[in-house]
Amino acid sequence: MSSPDETVTADVAVIGGGLGGVAAALAAARAGRSVVLTDEYSRVGGQVTTQALPALDEHPHVETFGASASYRAFRDAVRARYGGVANPGGGWVSRLCFEPAVAQSILDDLLAEAKVTVRTGVAPVAARVTDGRVRDVTLADGTVVAATVFCDATERGDLAPLAGFATVHGSEGRDAHGEPDAVPGGPDPAAQQSFTWCALVEHHPGQDFTGPAPAGYADLRHRLSFDIAGWDGDVHRYRMFTDGPDGKPPFWTYRRLRAEAPELVVLNWASNDCGGQDPLGDPAGAERAGRDLTAAFVHWLRTEAPREDGGRGFPGLRLAPEAAGTPDGYAEAPYLRESRRIVVDTPVTGHDLRPVDGRARARHLPGSLGVTWYHVDLHERTGHPAPVYRPTAPFTIPASALVPRGAVNLVAAAKNLGATQIAAAAYRVHHGEWAVGEAAGTLAARCVTDRRSVGDVPTDPTLLVAVQRDLVAAGVPLAWVADVPLGDPRFAAVHLAAAHGALEGERAASLAVEPDRPAGEADTTAVRRAAASLGVDPSTVDVTRAFGAVLEDITA
């Protein structure tokens, strides 16, 4: 906690300490810049700490490729704290489930090692801006943060509108971009996704923690069940500790964070998925509704949930304040599935992420600053209860999606990137937020170093390539490549060239680049186009060499 009326100065200020904010701060510090990181909650970490959701939602290749060196280091550190256990909690929703305290300790250590100044418990309340340049940001305790570049990593996308930059929330509407999963017609800011106020619960067989029914329980009771209405139109049935009648694995191990007694789970289920609220415009009202719903779910689990033996209720469920880091076992902060999103000239849309016949990746977006992948996962939106689950192909993070229209020194660094509601629903998960933050922090540091506007990065090829080179040097993939891992001497060349379209020929059909195989005719066209994008004379490219060597030539 900072002292009131203090002024803190740094090269880069990251406002918001979730996974995107942490990644942005580490990236900027890694580039040699001084960094201050602030957060409105008591701890950094967001989803894995204050939101009590350290069961990582990730893409299926995360163990082998498609993740940066820093994200992999975080995952490796988690496993090391558990003696090398691959999945300490054993939750079946994720390859890596663990306890919030472990995440907090690791992130605190990483930030301290990077010499990032961290201020917690203080939200931004005002920003002073001149001609698109943020001069400083005032925090709730009166602290003023001054910096050359600011990263907005707040959970609700608060800083951009405080600074006067346009944002959108809810749905843009189907008319805007023709996305079939957008709500019909024009924009609907109220059509925000449901959120979850998670709670951590231990199981103590033979004990009884049942208390009186919480206020409003009778009105909420009809929403509480193990069963989930699926995106496929079916109802999927679950049991507490054993496989469900239609073969689904147990509810209890869905997001289990601790496999040793007393076992610990996070409650993030359809039953406490809170819709019909306005968590961006009325966070206090949403908090009441979200906590009340989760309290009702806890009581139902203790008293009415069907048991495998034919009885009702599991009274040995205990809220775990020690694990949650809160007085009552409920998360400190809500798990929000969307925030305000910055307005950019060409937002990423659902069309940009969809699978394309004959391609292993989503369509090429210029200016890649990183990769991520998740399906479009839209929960209930206010006024539009049907969920959406839409497959995507592996996609990238374009530089143009990180810079608010008209901004000189502000970049988006979390769920607030310039994407439609549909596309943002695929960027929002743990790995995606980290990747966006790392891209933003690296971009910010380069603009400090070169004394450039952040708005120049998407439009100035030389500056864009400088940022991309910074990223690949730090082990950040810029494209989906299965067979040129970090540590391969061709890593930087392959990823830099791929970011400029070099994989748009024969190599577009597979995530394997096969760098030792010569280029085919379609590859030759793509490589020469990439060479021109990189400022290299295409006529000088010797495409008879192995593909990897050709990419090294055009990126040397």
Side-chain angles (χ1 to χ4, degrees):
M1 188 80 170
S2 54
S3 302
D5 303 319
E6 180 184 359
T7 296
V8 179
T9 302
D11 294 328
V12 176
V14 181
I15 309 299
L19 288 178
V22 169
L26 292 175
R30 177 182 68 209
R33 312 319 314 183
S34 60
V35 183
V36 58
L37 170 67
T38 75
D39 194 69
E40 65 177 298
Y41 299 106
S42 68
R43 298 160 283 168
V44 301
Q47 292 189 63
V48 295
T49 57
T50 55
Q51 296 169 35
L53 200 59
L56 302 181
D57 291 316
E58 299 170 321
H59 62 79
H61 302 301
V62 70
E63 298 290 350
T64 51
F65 66 96
S68 70
S70 69
Y71 187 74
R72 196 167 300 284
F74 168 65
R75 298 174 89 254
D76 290 346
V78 169
R79 287 171 169 159
R81 296 291 177 95
Y82 288 94
V85 176
N87 190 354
W92 53 262
V93 74
S94 172
R95 295 166 181 80
L96 187 51
C97 302
F98 48 97
E99 296 160 273
V102 171
Q104 181 184 342
S105 176
I106 291 168
L107 296 178
D108 286 347
D109 287 350
L110 289 172
L111 291 166
E113 183 180 355
K115 296 181 171 54
V116 174
T117 299
V118 178
R119 305 297 176 100
T120 57
V122 280
V125 295
R128 192 164 59 96
V129 183
T130 305
D131 296 329
R133 180 180 296 278
V134 181
R135 299 295 180 181
D136 52 51
V137 172
T138 301
L139 305 178
D141 66 350
T143 301
V144 175
V145 179
T148 304
V149 178
F150 288 82
C151 296
D152 182 357
T154 54
E155 285 299 322
R156 295 179 176 83
D158 290 334
L159 182 55
L162 274 179
F165 297 103
T167 60
V168 296
H169 59 273
S171 177
E172 291 84 356
R174 196 172 300 165
D175 293 349
H177 303 284
E179 296 168 301
D181 295 316
V183 304
D188 185 355
Q192 297 173 42
Q193 287 184 77
S194 58
F195 68 98
T196 304
W197 208 288
C198 298
L200 296 187
V201 176
E202 293 176 343
H203 186 222
H204 295 262
Q207 297 192 44
D208 189 345
F209 297 97
T210 304
Y217 179 73
D219 293 332
L220 296 170
R221 167 66 186 80
H222 70 283
R223 300 182 54 174
L224 309 175
S225 173
F226 284 148
D227 297 339
I228 293 179
W231 292 271
D232 54 7
D234 292 336
V235 174
H236 303 292
R237 302 179 64 199
Y238 295 83
R239 296 189 180 108
M240 185 69 163
F241 295 118
T242 58
D243 288 351
D246 53 358
K248 296 295 185 292
F251 163 85
W252 182 254
T253 52
Y254 172 61
R255 290 188 187 269
R256 188 175 61 186
L257 308 180
R258 184 198 304 143
E260 298 178 351
E263 293 188 1
L264 177 75
V265 304
V266 55
L267 298 182
N268 175 27
W269 195 252
S271 288
N272 64 323
D273 195 350
C274 188
Q277 302 296 318
D278 183 8
L280 300 181
D282 181 19
E287 175 176 354
R288 288 191 298 272
R291 288 175 65 95
D292 286 349
L293 182 56
T294 297
F297 190 36
V298 171
H299 187 73
W300 179 85
L301 289 168
R302 287 171 173 165
T303 60
E304 296 191 61
R307 298 199 306 261
E308 284 85 341
D309 63 6
R312 293 279 174 175
F314 300 89
L317 298 181
R318 172 187 174 270
L319 284 162
E322 306 88 354
T326 60
D328 53 13
Y330 293 88
E332 182 178 351
Y335 168 46
L336 301 179
R337 293 182 176 87
E338 62 182 76
S339 71
R340 299 176 182 89
R341 304 181 297 280
I342 61 170
V343 171
V344 299
D345 290 337
T346 307
V348 182
T349 72
H351 303 300
D352 296 319
L353 310 185
R354 67 181 180 85
V356 179
D357 289 344
R359 292 181 61 94
R361 307 168 184 86
R363 73 187 189 190
H364 177 70
L365 298 178
S368 172
L369 299 185
V371 302
T372 185
W373 185 26
Y374 203 67
H375 49 267
V376 171
D377 185 3
L378 277 165
H379 286 230
E380 170 189 352
R381 288 168 285 183
T382 299
H384 305 272
V388 173
Y389 181 99
R390 192 71 61 199
T392 62
F395 52 90
T396 58
I397 302 163
S400 58
L402 302 186
V403 181
R405 184 184 291 162
V408 173
N409 68 334
L410 177 67
V411 292
K415 297 188 291 287
N416 56 339
L417 78 165
T420 64
Q421 184 184 52
I422 305 303
Y427 281 97
R428 67 175 173 81
V429 294
H430 300 77
H431 169 253
E433 187 178 346
W434 184 286
V436 170
E438 188 163 26
T442 305
L443 185 159
R446 171 52 60 180
C447 288
V448 171
T449 300
D450 290 1
R451 299 181 181 181
R452 298 291 298 274
S453 162
V454 298
D456 293 339
V457 175
T459 58
D460 183 329
T462 301
L463 183 57
L464 172 64
V465 171
V467 177
Q468 291 172 325
R469 288 188 184 278
D470 292 340
L471 286 161
V472 294
V476 178
L478 302 181
W480 283 92
V481 176
D483 54 350
V484 185
L486 181 65
D488 188 305
R490 298 165 295 191
F491 176 87
V494 168
H495 282 270
L496 183 58
H500 288 262
L503 304 185
E504 292 300 292
E506 293 176 12
R507 265 73 175 184
S510 170
L511 296 182
V513 170
E514 298 183 77
D516 296 319
R517 180 168 65 86
E521 183 177 345
D523 289 326
T524 297
T525 300
V527 167
R528 286 178 170 156
R529 194 179 299 126
S533 177
L534 287 161
V536 175
D537 182 355
S539 66
T540 65
V541 179
D542 180 5
V543 293
T544 64
R545 306 180 67 201
F547 191 69
V550 174
L551 301 191
E552 289 182 295
D553 288 345
I554 68 172
T555 58

